[in-house]
Amino acid sequence: MKLYQLNIEIHTTLHIIWLAFQVLVAVVFIFPLIAAGMYLLFGKHKKQLPATTNGNYALIVTAYKYSGNLNHVIQSLLKLDYPHFHIYVVADDCNDYQYTGGDSRVTILYPNPPLKNQVKSHFMAIGHFKDAHNRIVIIDSDNLAHPGMLKAIDPYFEKGYEAVQGVRTAKNHDTVYAQLDAVNELYYLYYDRKVLFGIGSSCMLSGSGMAFTTDLYKRCLGSLDTEGAGFDKVLQKRIVSMGKRIAFAPQAIVYDEKTSQPDQLVKQRARWNNTWFRFFPYSLQLMASGLGRFSLNRFLFGFILFRPPLFLLLALVGVIMCVNVLVSMKMFLIWCGLCILFVLGFLWALYQMKAEKKLYMALLQAPRFILLQMYSLVKARKANQYSVATEHSYHKEIDALEKDNVNP
């Protein structure tokens, strides 16, 4: 009788744990929809702020080994419609690169020995400032900038923000992988940036197209000694931990090159997966701090960091549904309903971000995209070995952007 009672208790305990685990995953799974509902009902729908030109910007471009796109990004930045800026290009291990434009607003720096580290490259640029720049903008070597980018960022600094994230939009849709990468970007752009900032938290940083006061950047990363990708994760955690909010500037556009080949995708996602596992404790620290200080900004931001990469979350949901086929058909049907809500929420994000028709069509190839990301998990442990240099191809779409002066 005692053994029977013990078995009942163990079964009940396991059932409660299993149910609690499903509830946690479900909340993470559909939280973007909950947040979007909060945004639509109570969020601050900011109108476009009037352009200002009160800052003095240092535009920092970093390249490692591959310099094939540097001339294009420099040409793009020189077209910025703004009176006070200087471009600093850190050509790390790019000794064959020579800038022949002759523009006095461009400084090329060659680290010796190679730094192999983005943050060190940024601080090398800061150490060679030719003016008293009070704001810096981080640009990737494969980006192009909209001419109005700085005018769109500037008003947020004038309103008191010290960190601002712009919009990264795809500049190439040449393959289905690039299209699906662009779809992925739009999903996060809507939920993790526009919506999150609109409901009172901070916009997630993207790694480029982001701007900071020089003082804040130096305070946050001046003592950082980390290898591999993920400096933006450290940076955003420190900013939010200071009680500051990262603003989202929807009109500050940079064009980012999307991964167009399977091997590029696997390497990129391996870096991202490695970064999530390395910095996962940040999410718990921020949520705990948010609860302790009654800070919506910290708690919501920490909760978003807690969420695993989307493909991992989908894989986890798939496993839960398979188990429920054997355990509880009622729960299986509930999860089917949650999956429908997720799909509707995904399509809603694409609609809100004005995705092109071909991006919707690319979703038919999403399973292949997810499988490649699953494969990237195998390479996540060694991701830092190839995390600093990813070569991209030059595309006709880039020519079109430059021809149109990078206007959307």
Side-chain angles (χ1 to χ4, degrees):
M1 187 67 179
K2 289 184 178 180
L3 181 60
Y4 176 76
Q5 186 65 32
L6 179 62
N7 287 335
I8 293 294
E9 291 177 359
I10 292 175
H11 182 270
T12 302
T13 301
L14 291 176
H15 178 74
I16 293 173
I17 292 173
W18 173 239
L19 185 61
F21 175 72
Q22 290 187 81
V23 170
L24 175 62
V25 175
V27 171
V28 174
F29 189 48
I30 64 168
F31 179 76
L33 274 178
I34 298 172
M38 294 168 59
Y39 175 70
L40 293 174
L41 292 174
F42 313 112
K44 296 180 180 180
H45 302 263
K46 294 182 180 294
K47 296 181 179 179
Q48 183 175 349
L49 298 177
T52 57
T53 57
N54 297 322
N56 186 341
Y57 288 86
L59 309 178
I60 301 178
V61 182
T62 59
Y64 178 69
K65 287 189 176 180
Y66 183 66
S67 59
N69 291 318
L70 282 180
N71 284 338
H72 302 295
V73 67
I74 291 172
Q75 292 169 14
S76 169
L77 295 176
L78 287 173
K79 294 176 183 177
L80 287 169
D81 181 19
Y82 200 85
H84 312 297
F85 70 87
H86 192 93
I87 303 167
Y88 298 88
V89 178
V90 183
D92 194 11
D93 208 4
C94 301
N95 296 327
D96 59 332
Y97 176 71
Q98 295 293 327
Y99 173 66
T100 57
D103 197 296
S104 61
R105 293 173 295 173
V106 180
T107 297
I108 311 296
L109 302 170
Y110 298 92
N112 187 19
L115 298 172
K116 303 180 183 180
N117 184 290
Q118 277 186 294
V119 175
K120 290 179 181 178
S121 293
H122 296 161
F123 276 91
M124 181 179 186
I126 292 172
H128 288 79
F129 276 0
K130 295 183 177 298
D131 201 353
H133 303 295
N134 61 340
R135 297 164 190 169
I136 65 174
V137 181
I138 305 300
I139 301 291
D140 275 351
S141 60
D142 60 2
N143 289 160
L144 299 177
H146 185 280
M149 179 189 69
L150 291 184
K151 281 188 175 180
I153 287 175
D154 208 62
Y156 291 89
F157 286 109
E158 296 303 305
K159 288 179 69 67
Y161 292 102
E162 298 179 57
V164 184
Q165 175 65 58
V167 171
R168 291 200 316 181
T169 190
K171 70 182 181 184
N172 65 301
H173 292 151
D174 53 322
T175 71
V176 68
Y177 299 106
Q179 292 166 14
L180 287 170
D181 200 6
V183 166
N184 190 70
E185 182 85 37
L186 290 176
Y187 175 82
Y188 285 117
L189 179 63
Y190 180 68
Y191 286 117
D192 288 7
R193 294 175 179 88
K194 183 176 181 178
V195 168
L196 196 57
F197 180 60
I199 62 175
S201 187
S202 288
C203 164
M204 296 278 287
L205 294 179
S206 298
S208 66
M210 51 188 185
F212 312 93
T213 62
T214 304
D215 177 66
L216 178 67
Y217 192 83
K218 290 164 71 174
R219 286 165 57 199
C220 287
L221 297 185
S223 60
L224 181 67
D225 185 18
T226 184
E227 298 296 329
F231 81 93
D232 52 320
K233 302 298 183 293
V234 179
L235 180 56
Q236 64 188 8
K237 188 262 184 180
R238 293 186 178 179
I239 291 172
V240 175
S241 294
M242 291 178 177
K244 302 178 185 296
R245 289 181 66 203
I246 303 169
F248 174 61
Q251 304 299 322
I253 301 171
V254 295
Y255 296 89
D256 181 59
E257 186 160 358
K258 297 301 160 191
T259 52
S260 58
Q261 301 301 325
D263 61 328
Q264 291 179 349
L265 177 67
V266 169
K267 289 181 179 180
Q268 182 193 68
R269 290 319 197 261
R271 297 198 304 269
W272 291 4
N273 296 336
N274 177 281
T275 297
W276 184 77
F277 285 111
R278 285 167 59 206
F279 299 116
F280 175 76
Y282 286 174
S283 63
L284 304 179
Q285 293 169 14
L286 282 174
M287 283 193 287
S289 176
L291 290 173
R293 296 171 179 264
F294 302 101
S295 169
L296 181 68
N297 177 28
R298 298 184 194 197
F299 180 79
L300 286 180
F301 198 81
F303 186 80
I304 293 298
L305 290 179
F306 178 81
R307 181 190 58 198
L310 190 55
F311 78 95
L312 277 180
L313 184 58
L314 291 173
L316 181 59
V317 169
V319 171
I320 291 173
M321 293 181 71
C322 289
V323 172
N324 277 320
V325 169
L326 303 174
V327 175
S328 171
M329 284 304 299
K330 179 180 179 181
M331 290 301 299
F332 174 79
L333 293 175
I334 290 175
W335 276 104
C336 286
L338 292 178
C339 286
I340 292 172
L341 287 176
F342 172 81
V343 171
L344 292 176
F346 200 102
L347 295 175
W348 173 253
L350 298 186
Y351 172 75
Q352 287 295 307
M353 303 316 293
K354 299 179 173 57
E356 298 178 32
K357 183 178 179 180
K358 61 183 176 182
L359 298 186
Y360 288 96
M361 298 303 297
L363 290 174
L364 297 175
Q365 301 296 324
R368 192 194 324 176
F369 191 72
I370 293 173
L371 286 175
L372 283 171
Q373 294 183 83
M374 294 298 292
Y375 174 62
S376 72
L377 283 174
V378 179
K379 294 180 174 289
R381 178 178 293 183
K382 298 182 178 180
N384 286 342
Q385 294 179 7
Y386 43 81
S387 65
V388 288
T390 301
E391 295 189 12
H392 296 281
S393 303
Y394 193 67
H395 305 279
K396 292 181 180 180
E397 292 173 74
I398 303 174
D399 286 320
L401 286 171
E402 290 187 330
K403 185 177 179 181
D404 294 336
N405 199 31
V406 207
N407 283 315

